[in-house]
Amino acid sequence: MSNEYKLIGKDFVPPDITGKVTGKAKYAEDFRADGMVFARMYTSPMAHGKVTSINTEQAEAMEGVVGILTAEDVPEVTAPDAAILTNTPAYIGDPILAIAAETEQICEDAMATIEVEIEPLPFVTDPLDSLVDGGPNARTEGNAYARSREGSGFQTIKWSQQQVDDFRAGKEPTGDFVSEWSYGDLDNSFAEAELVIEEPFVTIGYAHMSMEPRTAMAYWQNGTCYVHGSSQSQSYFMPGLARMLGVETKDVVLISENTGGGFGSKIGAYPIAALPGYFSKKIGRPVQLRVTREQEYYMGSARVGFQGWIKMGFGADGKITASDVFIIEDIGPNATGGDASSAGGAISMVYDPSAMRFRGLPVLTNTTPRGAQRGPGQNQIAAVMAPIMDKAAKVLGIDRVEIRKINSTNNDTIVYADRRPVTSAYMDEALQQGADMFDWQNRKNQPKKKGKKVRGLGVGQGYHSAGATGFDGLVRLTPDGKLHIHSGVGNLGTYSFASTSRAAAEVLKCDWERCEIHRGNTENHLPWSSYQAGSVTIFSHTRTNYVAAMDALDKMKRIAAQTMGGEPGDYDIDGQRVFLIEDPAQGMSYGAIAARAIQLGGDYSGAVYPDDIHEITQRAVQNIAGSGLIGVAKDNLHQEGVIPGLAVAFCEIELDLETGKYDILDYVGIAECGTVIHPKGLAQQMKGGAVWGMGMAGLERHVYDPQNGLPANIGYHQCGIPTYLDVPSVTKTDAVNIADPQNPFGARGIGEPAMGCSVAALQSAISDALDGHIFGRTPISPDMVVNHVMGRDQSFLPLQTNNF
Amino acid sequence: MDIATYKDDVWGQEVLNGVSWDLLWLVIVLAFIFIAGHAIYETTRKRAQKPSSKGARVNRHEAIDRLFHWVMAGSVFVLLITGIFPIIGLNFAWLEIHWIAGIILTIVVVFHILRSFTQDLSSMALGPSDLKEALDETVKPGKYSPAQKSMHMVVSILTLLVIGSGLIMFLQIETPWWERPNSLSEATLGLVFFVHGISTLGLIGVICLHIYFGLRPEKLFYTRSMIKGWISREELNAHHDQQRWNPDETT
Amino acid sequence: MASFDVMPEVQLFQPAELDDALKLADELGSDGWLLGGGQDTYGWLKDRAKQPRAMIDLNGIEALQGIRKTDDGMEIGAATILRDIIRNEDINRDYSLLSQAASRVASPQIRNVGTLGGNLSQDTRCWYYRRGLDCYRAGGNICYADGPQSMNREHAVIGASRCVAVSPSDTATALLALDATMVAENTEGQRVLAAEDFFVGPNTHITQMTALKPGEILSAIRIPKKWASQRFYWEKVADRDVWDFALVSIAVSMAMDGNKIADSRFVCGGVACTPHRLTNVEQAVRGRTLSNESADAVAPLASEGCKPLNYNHFKLPLMENLVRRAMRG
């Protein structure tokens, strides 16, 4: 594509903005249907147990109560998978039953009369407590769960007290683990190292904190289940939802116009989204389940926590020779994780050690189910690595930015255990751009201490793979001359559904005002799309819209040639016209082309379509066939190697040694995500990611009472999300903006690294302010700083997790 | 009126919380109804002439036993005041005084039990013959009447219950010697609270009667004996069978 | 487990006169709920952890509103919102300790509706208690926050008795340091309580935070002239700078005699169930100047008698550091 884009790289007003600022945007709970009733859930008060009896007699007799749904009414699942409703709850808040009534108040009045007897089972909230010999298992089937291509299953893994004690003391773990990968000659690489650093670490998990709880409303019409849900993705959500509802994908309609945040917790269909469907079927009325804030904290997913040990080898020149990492990951009750191996992958990508080993041990706990959260694994390890890199720089006498540049990912970097290339990478350039913008050299020479306050400078790096392929694009030109871009991309608040749609308009040189995006409802005929997670959307859907638009372009030229003579190659487009290159006055408007396509039928009108497109796209095409010129294609563009999304951040803090508090004085974030598609959207991603990273670095964490399995954080206040005054008033961002060769527009994704670089930079800055002290823990709270400065022990055990 | 109160435990399952303190008023009312009834009955009853306290004296309670009694009485009063007043809305910092008094009570009760083995246990033992004795006005008791033995028995059981449950509760609070262990299940803790509460209520009832009888004119000499140690020979003759209890004379 | 999160049936009275409110409060007794800004009301009611029969909305009563100068200082109506206190010129001039404290309460949105009376009377934020558990404070027989494994970073380091919760009020510490008095009224009349007597601890009142009895309404807060325009120091350390409760806070009033401290009040928040006066520090600073030496000399006294729980021993050095900062001048 040309560098002279009309739309790509330019700001625009995404079509959903007006609704969001006026309050007119509709979310799942804003919808009503005739005869609709409300449902509320009864959830487990126990961290692990077995329901022995349920008495709903009184509730059922109450006026206004319409029905009760229990585990017997929904499909049974096999542990550790999450059920819609369960009789063997494995965490506090695990849904047991639901009541439907004319009003929510009646639901809750009825709920107060429900008697559920539960036999308690052993439970655990800290993986190390389960791992130690004689410790409780979170599931009766075992305490660890391995997922691999070779097979998945429960295991029971125990370490001796001595092994746990040694691990807590910072020694290399010697207990069993379940997964391992490596490359290079680890022993030799460590032997060659000038400096070896070993550090234990903890990153405590915490809630996804979606502002919109996972509310859903459902009803059935002629065998089709209509679900108004809250989902990150649109089309990608469908097959899973259909599977959970026990119907075919074609028999489900998902309406999700706006989503109040998902952050990884609403990627694909989640069980509770299917509850209203089952309930509606049972009672024959539309049902809306509005999940409460408290329940959202119980079941709304959380970041995986790490307890680990890392050993890094550095050459005298600062080059990382070897990395050995062992991670116990807290995978909650449903064995949802995988963050640890991703963390290993991130080490490989960002720090490029010549040899590396990863060992992982996923341990079950009776805490909130875990799920991918922005940079799952990559961001935890970014936080861990930043102070370690700083320590190495200090010992080796190298500038802290320089040591990162020495190890920076570039176009020749080979990553991961399977030693794959990258599509392109410019970490060095990002670091330099950030250092210049932040004025690193000058700042680092400023005096550090002023009374009881001390300045700290931090630099952090973030990474996540940022692209996926194989999804479909669908565009349609109608006789009124409009370009309709059908997008199965979910609207999770990043505007990516809109910015990627502009790729089609760019290809077809169509004025943005003459484009209409169709999205948010299966009945808007949406193609098969990616999952709006893993930072893939920008890369994936600029490609899908590109291939669909190219298909349309090809058809437009063929129609022009067919109608006006000559070959398709004789024609070009501009100004909403297809014209003869040799005589631009001769041409057809887009409207005329579309009308002609309808007349011609066949692949022009969508009556015929490629057979490699997904069944969801096929149905969409079938439904709009004959309404215009159809451009539809699967993204079969060339793609090989890892598609990196990279980001760096610099920050300066002023830390108060007497209170343990710090102010973030300045922050610079640089994205390395190929071509910038939507500058304001990117800036928002970088700023939002920065705030999130600041929360992870200093505020957010799960806290569980281990004696009773109780979660302390079940509300916004307790969860400690950063507020306006906890973040810098100005967050500066920019991008490297060098095109990636494997995207037609040069774009890669950025969502997740935007946060990873922030948490890393802040951890680095805190460490710098405290003369290089490594807490080895997120978050670092004021009490930890005070205790450290005053030479007092910390309150918690080394490597303890889910604690204050 | 409930006997017990219930609460949800940490996992929302219903467990005992303790006794229902509404019963306090019931106990007090019942005790006073009994007292009033008894007082009326006694005033209508023909009574033998009160024996003189003059003349020779015999030893009824040794000093150490009297000391025990009054220390126990004092600690029980402190325990009742510190335990009950906050419940009825008279707030003050009661907990430390309560457990200190509880320890004192425990010590003196243990002392009393140990000492009792050196004493004539049978004089306080309640047996089938006591029932007969109680019903036959012509039979005089030994050192203690069936009513006194019954009172002692009831007080002993209630005191042991209140001490036993109190000690368990004591182990569950923070003291200078240990931290809160939170080691009992809430159901067990509720049961302990219930036992402590119900035995306290029982004690309040019997203490009301004990005081009442102790202050009744015809029994006042027993109270005096608990203060001064002696009763008169005449009182002994009037109320006791010297075949069964023949104490030494004292000055 | 129901999470409720929906308002139950509850009556709402909106009296316009204090007398009517007092009558209602008297009639309803413990079944009544006094409604100020509602920030410590709706959560309780929606969770059904508290189940009053009726709410008495105090916001429409003029007698409970406003900031007035009196012969002996100032009087603030209990239903005065915190924003008005923060913006009041007289308070900012004479009792800036209070406006500083009020300005750190919660968030601007909450300060726009939250009242001074409500801030003072609010219940503790112990997360176990707020969960609706039947602990001592809720009439049960156990403290979940004070077990061997309890998560009690935010709890008391002094003055605990079975319950280890702390007073969350920011304005309470300031008012104690200003020797304020609280006017409590009921149908029989009014009583005026010293701030120190208004806040009650678990050793005497385990289910209450204030000495207010059922049927009583806090009508006004009086601040004597004694500390007007004296030297003040206020600081709150919380995890977050908005919408958070103090880990430890300090409110200090100092009457200076030349460059020496003639009299003072040092009050810590977030460390005990009531605002905690550091009387030993007050005695020790008498006659001292504000200096680093004084600061270092008296600071260790701040944590005397404290007994930390599992996760809150950091409060001890924090208390000392805050005293140190107040003394540096």
Side-chain angles (χ1 to χ4, degrees), chain A residues 27 32 42 44 130 166 193 333 409 495 532 548 598 685 693 745 755:
Chain A
Y27 293 82
R32 294 289 180 272
Y42 181 96
S44 175
S130 177
D166 287 348
T409 323
Y495 317 123
Q532 282 64 79
I598 296 169
Q685 280 288 339
F745 303 93
M755 178 200 165

Side-chain angles (χ1 to χ4, degrees), chain C residues 70-277:
Chain C
T70 62
D71 291 344
D72 184 40
M74 303 211 67
E75 183 174 283
I76 305 170
T80 307
I81 60 169
L82 296 165
R83 182 193 64 197
D84 291 350
I85 290 166
I86 296 162
R87 292 182 183 177
N88 184 278
E89 277 181 23
D90 295 327
I91 291 179
N92 275 311
R93 186 188 57 243
D94 295 338
Y95 307 105
S96 59
L97 184 66
L98 176 61
S99 49
Q100 279 186 70
S103 68
R104 278 302 312 273
V105 171
S107 65
Q109 293 88 338
I110 292 172
R111 296 194 292 268
N112 283 344
V113 292
T115 63
L116 179 60
N119 187 258
L120 294 171
S121 310
Q122 67 182 307
D123 215 333
T124 180
R125 302 284 158 173
C126 166
W127 72 265
Y128 292 94
Y129 172 58
R130 288 268 162 181
R131 197 181 159 79
L133 297 179
D134 289 333
C135 64
Y136 278 126
R137 186 159 288 281
N141 51 22
I142 191 169
C143 174
Y144 300 99
D146 187 18
Q149 300 184 73
S150 303
M151 290 291 156
N152 44 27
R153 171 175 177 258
E154 287 141 15
H155 290 72
V157 288
I158 195 162
S161 173
R162 295 162 293 154
C163 169
V164 294
V166 295
S167 160
S169 172
D170 289 324
T171 56
T173 49
L175 288 170
L176 214 72
L178 291 169
D179 284 338
T181 54
M182 313 290 173
V183 183
E185 301 197 39
N186 63 15
T187 49
E188 286 165 14
Q190 68 168 222
R191 58 185 181 128
V192 179
L193 294 99
E196 245 173 310
D197 300 328
F198 180 76
F199 300 102
V200 292
N203 57 343
T204 58
H205 298 72
I206 203 159
T207 59
Q208 289 169 244
M209 298 292 289
T210 71
L212 285 178
K213 295 173 183 161
E216 267 187 328
I217 294 176
L218 174 66
S219 61
I221 293 89
R222 292 176 186 159
I223 311 175
K225 269 190 183 150
K226 180 179 176 185
W227 298 100
S229 303
Q230 297 292 345
R231 185 180 183 90
F232 299 125
Y233 186 83
W234 159 264
E235 189 166 358
K236 169 178 173 176
V237 180
D239 285 320
R240 300 191 299 186
D241 290 340
V242 189
W243 195 29
D244 214 347
F245 296 94
L247 293 168
V248 178
S249 66
I250 194 161
V252 179
S253 304
M254 292 182 201
M256 304 299 288
D257 181 6
N259 63 352
K260 290 190 172 163
I261 300 166
D263 196 5
S264 70
R265 295 287 180 271
F266 280 72
V267 186
C268 267
V271 297
C273 192
T274 59
H276 174 60
R277 249 183 93 173

